[in-house]
Amino acid sequence: MILSRIILGLLAIAPMTGYDLKRHFESTVGHFWSADKAQIYRTLARLVADGHAEVETVAGSGAPDRQEHRITAAGRTVLAEWLASEPERHVERDPFLARVFFGAELDDDALRTLFTRRRAAVRERLAQFERLRAGTSAPDRAARLRLATLDHGIAELRAELAWLDVVGKEVA
């Protein structure tokens, strides 16, 4: 259900093809929600079937025709209801934390390597987010709210780096 609401939110910003949506999942909403191509297209079909989105074939000049999706009035209503509803807790599935939980099975070198690799991955993602943030402005409320999600991701990554430093010293 959340994926369909995220797609409706993206369609509320602008009409998009499935390809456009996939690009947004890779470049914007991907830091807090992931979806593969098959999930996106399946969800788009369901949104159209439910009357929450409509699709229009746009003739391509020198390229294949595009299937552009737009949010409908019913879709805007569903999106608004979801946005105003009580925030649900989403249980995260994190393979790294599962490894930490069972990390006593590793020797000291393997445990240090686990933390070193994670620290490098987090630093890389933080640098990517900070580059995105440096080149982004928020001229209006909608842009500021979208930017706030990036700021949240940056804060989480910084907190994880601090946590990795503390735990890494305690256990290895």
Side-chain angles (χ1 to χ4, degrees), residues 78-101:
V78 167
L79 177 61
E81 289 170 355
W82 176 68
L83 290 170
S85 68
E86 187 70 27
E88 61 275 356
R89 166 107 168 85
H90 180 74
V91 178
E92 194 172 331
R93 293 166 45 176
D94 188 333
F96 172 73
L97 288 179
R99 287 181 177 96
V100 171
F101 190 85

Side-chain angles (χ1 to χ4, degrees), residues 34 107 110 167:
S34 65
D107 63 31
V167 174

Side-chain angles (χ1 to χ4, degrees), residues 121-132:
V122 170
R123 282 189 181 128
E124 182 179 318
R125 188 154 172 105
L126 177 60
Q128 174 191 13
F129 282 11
E130 288 175 334
R131 282 191 302 273
L132 278 171

Side-chain angles (χ1 to χ4, degrees), residues 12-111:
I13 295 170
M16 297 185 197
T17 64
Y19 176 77
D20 296 332
L21 287 164
K22 180 62 179 148
R23 279 195 350 233
H24 272 280
F25 273 91
E26 292 168 355
S27 64
T28 60
V29 300
H31 68 273
F32 59 84
W33 202 267
S34 65
D36 63 34
K37 182 179 170 183
Q39 291 172 308
I40 291 169
Y41 281 94
R42 219 175 17 253
T43 303
L44 276 173
R46 191 170 50 252
L47 289 169
V48 170
D50 292 344
H52 299 150
E54 57 190 15
V55 63
E56 176 185 346
T57 301
V58 178
S61 57
D65 293 347
R66 297 170 25 107
Q67 299 296 311
E68 198 170 74
H69 295 79
R70 288 177 170 71
I71 191 169
T72 62
R76 285 188 189 280
T77 299
V78 167
L79 177 61
E81 289 170 355
W82 176 68
L83 290 170
S85 68
E86 187 70 27
E88 61 275 356
R89 166 107 168 85
H90 180 74
V91 178
E92 194 172 331
R93 293 166 45 176
D94 188 333
F96 172 73
L97 288 179
R99 287 181 177 96
V100 171
F101 190 85
F102 297 110
E105 296 297 317
L106 296 172
D107 63 31
D108 287 348
D109 288 338
L111 192 59

Side-chain angles (χ1 to χ4, degrees), residues 114-151:
L114 176 68
F115 277 84
T116 299
R117 287 180 179 161
R118 179 61 173 217
R119 193 175 293 106
V122 170
R123 282 189 181 128
E124 182 179 318
R125 188 154 172 105
L126 177 60
Q128 174 191 13
F129 282 11
E130 288 175 334
R131 282 191 302 273
L132 278 171
R133 181 64 171 96
T136 307
S137 64
D140 59 28
R141 182 173 179 245
R144 180 63 198 124
L145 288 167
R146 289 191 291 270
L147 194 55
T149 65
L150 181 59
D151 291 341

